[in-house]
Amino acid sequence: MIEPKKRGAEMAVVPAEVKRPRTELVAAAQSQLSAMGPPRSSSLQAPIMLLSGHEGEVYCCKFHPNGATLASSGYDRLILLWNVYGDCENYATLKGHSGAVMELHYNTDGSLLFSASTDKTVCVWDSETGERVKRLKGHTSFVNSCFPARRGPQLACTGSDDGTVKLWDIRKKASVHTFQNTYQVLSVTFNDTSDQIISGGIDNDIKVWDLRQNKLIYSMQGHGDSVTGLSLSADGSYLLSNSMDNSVRVWDIRPFAPKERCVKIFQGNVHNFEKNLLRCSWSSDGSKIAAGSADRFVYIWDTTSRRILYKLPGHAGSVNEVVFHPEEPIGKIYIYIYIYIFF
């Protein structure tokens, strides 16, 4: 159910300026007249916004495709919906999971929101009304990841600690097909045409499952530890992966790519003993990538040069997910929700 939220100080916090002596204010005003600083590059109310309201660690967040709403969730089992602009109020709460929510995804047109949970289910929500329209049951352990198809029939794929990757048609009650993996699956995604599912888990390999042949068609080796996050580029040609070996890799997944599909390796972010499922993401134009990190920093790289563009401080714990706004140079990063503008 959707629960409208009253606006309150605990829901959207914009740091207030410390009161200063009048002389200092006058000096500051004169300084601003002489040098106004660089022009703002987004419609965000301030360069950094802090959103607070969750009652536990935040594991995931996603922008609505229209860029006006942010969904977030985590240990407290609640899915909070936030306005991106203005005071960034938490305007609604979706309740329904009985376990921590590990991953969130909107479908392509933003009409549906998918959530994967440790309660062994995936819920499908109407993003306008907040009503839960479907609950996908079939996994026998924690569901770590979910992903909706980009186009065609509304399919979804899921990965679980039960060692399976499942394909779902949300118009049907049970899963359409189950792929049996040897070990726990931590992250899944579709390819661009949604005729393949790509999975990563604790066996370090990235596996590609063909939905027409219903079998594993190839694996990509290179990571030296568990793969915790996968993200498909906007054009569908490349896959981004985050691993506990403290590297982020880009893979060429085009049909006739060379056998050695790993094309780039990025370093800087780290995993630690907490073994959180740190995710990764592309900017909408593919020029930047970002990844979660256990050292409390936000890492953003230039895709071409592999150079770290931003190493942003501010968090008091592991940064579990970083996502880019679909249109503006804004990103959302968690444990608490900070909104940054990238100049």
Side-chain angles (χ1 to χ4, degrees):
M1 293 291 292
I2 193 166
E3 290 195 353
K5 284 281 187 178
K6 291 183 179 179
R7 185 174 169 186
E10 75 278 10
M11 294 304 167
V13 180
V14 180
E17 292 187 6
V18 178
K19 192 171 182 180
R20 293 179 290 176
R22 184 177 177 182
T23 53
E24 191 174 338
L25 290 171
V26 172
Q30 291 174 342
S31 175
Q32 288 176 1
L33 288 174
S34 59
M36 295 299 290
R40 291 287 300 281
S41 61
S42 86
S43 305
L44 203 62
Q45 190 175 83
I48 299 176
M49 303 289 286
L50 169 63
L51 315 184
S52 59
H54 278 290
E55 299 169 4
E57 188 170 3
V58 183
Y59 295 141
C60 50
C61 58
K62 289 295 184 300
F63 282 107
H64 189 284
N66 68 15
T69 299
L70 174 76
S72 65
S73 196
Y75 183 78
D76 63 5
R77 310 182 303 246
L78 305 175
I79 300 173
L80 302 188
L81 303 181
W82 311 81
N83 288 319
V84 170
Y85 301 110
D87 289 336
C88 299
E89 299 100 336
N90 166 216
Y91 69 87
T93 299
L94 310 185
K95 293 183 177 181
H97 280 296
S98 59
V101 177
M102 305 304 296
E103 191 163 37
L104 292 170
H105 280 288
Y106 282 100
N107 67 343
T108 303
D109 65 8
S111 61
L112 300 175
L113 177 64
F114 292 74
S115 57
S117 172
T118 59
D119 64 12
K120 308 176 188 178
T121 70
V122 171
C123 287
V124 185
W125 310 82
D126 184 310
S127 65
E128 286 294 320
T129 66
E131 179 187 1
R132 190 177 69 193
V133 296
K134 196 79 174 180
R135 193 176 188 188
L136 307 178
K137 297 180 180 180
H139 284 294
T140 58
S141 188
F142 297 169
V143 183
N144 296 311
S145 183
C146 64
F147 195 85
R150 285 185 172 181
R151 54 178 63 85
Q154 191 55 78
L155 303 176
C157 60
T158 57
S160 168
D161 274 358
D162 63 14
T164 66
V165 174
K166 287 183 181 288
L167 173 68
W168 307 82
D169 182 332
I170 67 167
R171 298 168 296 184
K172 300 179 180 179
K173 187 174 182 179
S175 61
V176 176
H177 191 79
T178 299
F179 297 97
Q180 187 64 54
N181 193 53
T182 309
Y183 301 102
Q184 292 97 313
V185 179
L186 305 180
S187 186
V188 292
T189 186
F190 281 109
N191 68 340
D192 190 55
T193 52
S194 302
D195 55 12
Q196 295 174 351
I197 296 174
I198 307 167
S199 68
I202 69 167
D203 57 1
N204 310 347
D205 295 343
I206 297 172
K207 298 179 179 179
V208 181
W209 311 85
D210 190 276
L211 302 186
R212 293 164 295 190
Q213 304 177 54
N214 286 333
K215 68 177 186 179
L216 177 68
I217 53 174
Y218 67 90
S219 296
M220 295 182 287
Q221 286 87 29
H223 280 302
D225 208 334
S226 301
V227 178
T228 60
L230 295 173
S231 180
L232 187 67
S233 64
D235 66 2
S237 298
Y238 297 95
L239 180 75
L240 188 66
S241 61
N242 192 356
S243 169
M244 289 185 184
D245 65 6
N246 298 332
S247 75
V248 175
R249 293 178 179 239
V250 173
W251 309 82
D252 187 341
I253 59 169
R254 290 175 294 184
F256 302 104
K259 187 175 181 180
E260 178 49 62
R261 290 177 178 266
C262 181
V263 294
K264 287 184 180 177
I265 301 175
F266 300 80
Q267 292 183 314
N269 69 315
V270 296
H271 293 242
N272 67 4
F273 65 92
E274 294 177 332
K275 297 193 178 297
N276 283 11
L277 300 186
L278 308 184
R279 310 301 191 178
C280 51
S281 65
W282 299 84
S283 62
S284 56
D285 62 0
S287 66
K288 301 177 186 67
I289 63 164
S293 183
D295 63 0
R296 302 178 295 180
F297 287 96
V298 175
Y299 287 84
I300 298 165
W301 294 265
D302 177 82
T303 308
T304 304
S305 68
R306 293 179 288 181
R307 182 171 61 92
I308 295 176
L309 296 175
Y310 303 97
K311 183 180 176 182
L312 304 173
H315 289 285
S318 176
V319 179
N320 297 319
E321 179 153 32
V322 186
V323 291
F324 292 93
H325 192 275
E327 297 173 357
E328 299 206 66
I330 306 171
K332 300 289 193 300
I333 304 99
Y334 279 86
I335 274 188
Y336 298 106
I337 309 168
Y338 280 89
I339 309 178
Y340 295 88
I341 297 177
F342 306 132
F343 294 99

